[in-house]
Amino acid sequence: MNVNHLHYYRYRHINCFIAQYLSELLDKGIPVDYLFYDSYIDTDVIMNEIIVNGETRWAMQARTLKDISIIGIHILHRYFPNLLSAYPYMKNKFEENKIVYLWVSQSFIPHLAHLPSGIHSIGIQGYEETEKSFIISDVPGLVGHSYDERHIQDAFDKLEEEYKFIYYLYDKEYSFPEETIQLLISDFEYNFMNINEDLTLYDRVIELLSNPPLNRDEQEILYTHLENVFAVVAGSRYFLSKFFKITRYSDIDQLIEISKLSENIQNILRKAIVGGNITKYNVEEKIMKLKSLEQENIKTIKELIIHKREQYENNNETQNKSQSMAVDIGLKYKSIDLNRGKLEWVDVIQDEYLYGYEIFIDDKWCGSTLLNSYELVNLNYDTSYHIRVRVKNFSGYIEQYNDSVTIHTGNKRMNIALGKPVYCSSEETSIFTKENVNNGIDGTRWGSVVGSDQEWICIDLLETARIQRVVLNWESHAKCYTIDVSDDNVTWETIIVNNHGVGGVEEFNNLQNIDCRYIRMNGLMRGTTWGYSLWDFEVYAV
């Protein structure tokens, strides 16, 4: 890890999982400071989570860095029942120079074993075959350290099933154009104008410090929670100051002053945690000054936003009045599945900041996005819809920029494979079973064992049917495979040969004179390093 990045971690205000991949983003040179557009955390939220609910080491909760798909980077993950089963997958990622991330049980990791039992996220940078050890990172304190593989195996295998995933950053679609930056600025302005704080957090903290519990253990718990409060305040305001700096939005002196003062109070409370006397530090006076700075900061930023909005309106009033004719934004719909598809259109570029795009289905609001694409899900089958996209900024809808399209979803009733008996050569785990390919439930899949090419999955249609269409929805695809049919599940006839499988949804339409009871996908060569995996295996009759 670059030592120049350590200041991102100084306040301990973000969770360990985000902390790990933040380091990778920074090392790649990605300007993450733009992503701090919503890093301001209301003090009401901080008080409710830490003081009222008593959360232990509560981390800053915001969209910041949780969803980085807006810049074309996706946090992908895959389930494994134990770490040994993940080795081929992990080694494949290491060959691609990827860092993988996983949750571990702290008790089995040497540098974490002294902490209370719990889970923690670490990064793994590589594997040393001769030493049978992993190269791990646990930013900001530990980078490039070797641990015997048994430590990592035990730490992963003892987790609850819900945490047994391997993660990595998929960044092949990374893009950070100026248009995205403007949209982030717009989102910041909108969110900040909705802040309505009374800042009673600081009054409550003073009250707690004025009447601390007599029991030493209870004192330690109190001071630990209060240290957490000021860690989040300091880190939240510090991240926002970095957003202001990189966007050249404006210099808000109060943000840095608030961060420094909060850090000062945080350090005083750390002394109190270990039993130090803090009466000489005038903590209450510092907290009241902090509250005053927060009030001034909110007022200053809101005034700045209002001023900028007035500038936008004045600068574009003449231009907006002259733009009375509707502009086609090239709206298109691409079907992904029978009841799911993706809308795409050309980005609208304006001098003033856009608030975003709003999507309407049959004149009813459906959702909004900052991107120039939107996925429609859970539509009704065999149904026509009128879709409209409207462009919006702070002044309202830009009426001349809008477009519409009429779509018709597929007919699911014709999927004669739905719910029928399924047979297969193998199953990856007890979770990814063969029945998942035709249960009609989104997000479930079948997987074959890892590392085998000769694998198959077969559906019994229960009666002879004349089929005209087959759809395979891959999670982990076959490069070479055949589609075979049979009347008795013994003698097979190949009806489709595909030696150039690419994954995703692969459809075979307009099949002629195919009568069968059984139909199977017969895998010959994998297109990935693990096994075959299908979300759906659909069959449609004449």
Side-chain angles (χ1 to χ4, degrees):
M1 180 183 178
N2 189 323
V3 295
N4 294 323
H5 300 156
L6 289 175
H7 58 278
Y8 286 88
Y9 302 92
R10 64 186 295 171
Y11 302 112
R12 297 175 63 232
H13 66 291
I14 53 178
N15 75 41
C16 55
F17 184 73
I18 292 177
Q20 303 306 324
Y21 67 76
L22 173 61
S23 175
E24 181 179 347
L25 296 176
L26 288 166
D27 288 341
K28 289 178 181 292
I30 292 172
V32 299
D33 294 359
Y34 286 116
L35 300 176
F36 300 152
Y37 65 99
D38 68 337
S39 61
Y40 185 95
I41 307 299
D42 288 11
T43 56
D44 292 342
V45 174
I46 298 172
M47 180 167 70
N48 187 63
E49 295 294 340
I50 301 177
I51 295 179
V52 177
N53 295 338
E55 290 286 340
T56 302
R57 206 66 219 168
W58 186 74
M60 185 181 84
Q61 299 295 310
R63 285 175 295 167
T64 299
L65 294 174
K66 283 188 175 181
D67 181 6
I68 49 180
S69 60
I70 191 171
I71 58 172
I73 298 180
H74 306 273
I75 305 168
L76 302 184
H77 63 277
R78 186 179 175 92
Y79 167 84
F80 292 94
N82 54 65
L83 193 67
L84 189 60
S85 67
Y87 273 30
Y89 179 83
M90 295 169 67
K91 289 179 179 179
N92 175 265
K93 297 306 169 193
F94 297 150
E95 290 172 0
E96 297 174 358
N97 294 317
K98 297 290 186 184
I99 301 173
V100 301
Y101 305 98
L102 64 158
W103 293 100
V104 292
S105 176
Q106 294 181 160
S107 305
F108 298 92
I109 303 297
H111 74 279
L112 301 173
H114 67 285
L115 299 173
S117 60
I119 64 171
H120 185 70
S121 179
I122 62 173
I124 299 186
Q125 300 167 299
Y127 181 74
E128 295 180 339
E129 189 71 44
T130 56
E131 302 294 331
K132 300 298 181 184
S133 62
F134 285 108
I135 310 300
I136 78 157
S137 61
D138 185 8
V139 295
L142 194 68
V143 179
H145 189 80
S146 294
Y147 271 154
D148 188 293
E149 65 180 352
R150 290 173 296 176
H151 291 303
I152 311 301
Q153 287 176 358
D154 289 341
F156 183 85
D157 294 351
K158 297 297 182 182
L159 293 171
E160 297 292 333
E161 292 297 307
E162 61 185 297
Y163 295 106
K164 291 184 175 181
F165 289 85
I166 305 294
Y167 304 80
Y168 77 96
L169 297 185
Y170 178 82
D171 57 3
K172 290 184 179 179
E173 300 174 357
Y174 169 69
S175 176
F176 215 146
E178 181 66 26
E179 293 82 358
T180 298
I181 295 171
Q182 303 304 334
L183 290 174
L184 295 180
I185 292 174
S186 299
D187 204 22
F188 154 71
E189 293 177 342
Y190 177 81
N191 291 333
F192 203 92
M193 289 303 293
N194 287 324
I195 291 175
N196 185 23
E197 292 215 72
D198 56 16
L199 301 171
T200 54
L201 166 68
Y202 299 111
D203 300 318
R204 178 58 177 152
V205 170
I206 290 174
E207 180 183 336
L208 291 170
L209 289 173
S210 300
N211 299 284
L214 298 177
N215 181 277
R216 177 70 192 108
D217 291 339
E218 292 179 358
Q219 287 181 10
E220 183 177 342
I221 292 172
L222 171 65
Y223 294 138
T224 299
H225 282 149
L226 296 185
E227 184 273 336
N228 189 187
V229 164
F230 291 99
V232 176
V233 172
S236 165
R237 281 42 170 179
Y238 177 68
F239 273 14
L240 187 60
S241 73
K242 295 187 76 64
F243 171 77
F244 272 55
K245 184 175 181 179
I246 198 170
T247 59
R248 299 180 178 85
Y249 194 88
S250 182
D251 290 327
I252 306 296
D253 295 334
Q254 294 102 320
L255 283 171
I256 295 299
E257 192 173 353
I258 289 169
S259 294
K260 289 181 178 179
L261 183 54
S262 297
E263 183 182 22
N264 179 253
I265 298 171
Q266 183 186 5
N267 290 332
I268 293 171
L269 290 167
R270 284 174 178 165
K271 296 178 181 178
I273 291 172
V274 296
N277 184 349
I278 61 173
T279 54
K280 62 180 180 179
Y281 292 105
N282 300 317
V283 180
E284 293 184 10
E285 180 181 329
K286 294 177 186 293
I287 293 172
M288 289 307 299
K289 181 180 179 182
L290 181 59
K291 179 179 179 180
S292 176
L293 284 170
E294 288 266 70
Q295 290 171 330
E296 184 180 350
N297 177 62
I298 293 171
K299 180 174 179 290
T300 300
I301 294 178
K302 286 188 174 183
E303 289 176 348
L304 179 62
I305 292 171
I306 291 171
H307 176 68
K308 282 186 172 289
R309 286 184 177 181
E310 291 173 348
Q311 283 185 319
Y312 302 154
E313 293 174 1
N314 293 334
N315 292 341
N316 292 280
E317 183 177 0
T318 303
Q319 179 182 354
N320 289 339
K321 287 181 179 179
S322 65
Q323 294 177 331
S324 58
M325 296 183 64
V327 177
D328 187 341
I329 60 174
L331 179 62
K332 295 180 180 179
Y333 176 80
K334 180 181 179 181
S335 178
I336 299 175
D337 202 346
L338 293 176
N339 69 335
R340 183 163 62 100
K342 187 176 184 180
L343 297 170
E344 295 180 336
W345 56 90
V346 178
D347 243 341
V348 175
I349 309 301
Q350 286 241 314
D351 291 336
E352 63 178 297
Y353 302 133
L354 295 177
Y355 171 62
Y357 303 94
E358 298 200 349
I359 291 82
F360 294 82
I361 299 180
D362 293 336
D363 293 327
K364 293 183 180 179
W365 183 87
C366 171
S368 60
T369 178
L370 298 174
L371 305 176
N372 61 326
S373 64
Y374 188 85
E375 188 168 316
L376 300 175
V377 298
N378 298 323
L379 300 171
N380 293 328
Y381 294 96
D382 195 20
T383 304
S384 293
Y385 292 100
H386 182 70
I387 313 295
R388 185 183 181 194
V389 174
R390 303 183 70 185
V391 184
K392 190 175 184 181
N393 61 22
F394 288 118
S395 303
Y397 290 112
I398 309 176
E399 294 299 342
Q400 69 272 18
Y401 289 105
N402 66 80
D403 204 349
S404 62
V405 65
T406 299
I407 67 171
H408 192 92
T409 56
N411 189 338
K412 188 175 183 178
R413 291 190 299 272
M414 294 174 59
N415 180 12
I416 59 175
L418 193 65
K420 301 296 175 59
V422 187
Y423 310 96
C424 69
S425 55
S426 67
E427 292 179 333
E428 179 184 355
T429 70
S430 60
I431 296 176
F432 306 127
T433 59
K434 57 186 180 297
E435 292 81 9
N436 290 342
V437 297
N438 65 343
N439 61 7
I441 301 174
D442 290 339
T444 61
R445 64 180 179 88
W446 162 74
S448 65
V449 294
V450 174
S452 173
D453 282 317
Q454 304 300 318
E455 301 289 337
W456 54 266
I457 185 166
C458 168
I459 298 175
D460 180 359
L461 302 176
L462 297 180
E463 62 182 4
T464 299
R466 174 160 292 189
I467 64 174
Q468 66 171 359
R469 179 171 174 245
V470 177
V471 180
L472 299 178
N473 185 2
W474 296 97
E475 191 267 344
S476 176
H477 72 283
K479 181 179 180 181
C480 301
Y481 63 93
T482 62
I483 302 295
D484 309 322
V485 296
S486 173
D487 293 326
D488 56 9
N489 203 20
V490 176
T491 303
W492 292 90
E493 176 188 356
T494 296
I495 61 170
I496 296 168
V497 177
N498 188 358
N499 292 324
H500 305 283
V502 295
V505 177
E506 294 184 323
E507 298 186 23
F508 304 94
N509 299 298
N510 301 316
L511 303 177
Q512 301 294 322
N513 302 319
I514 306 296
D515 297 310
C516 66
R517 171 174 169 174
Y518 299 91
I519 182 168
R520 75 179 179 187
M521 185 288 298
N522 186 33
L524 302 175
M525 180 185 296
R526 288 166 294 134
T528 66
T529 56
W530 41 95
Y532 303 114
S533 179
L534 281 168
W535 297 109
D536 302 291
F537 187 166
E538 299 175 355
V539 181
Y540 295 85
V542 175

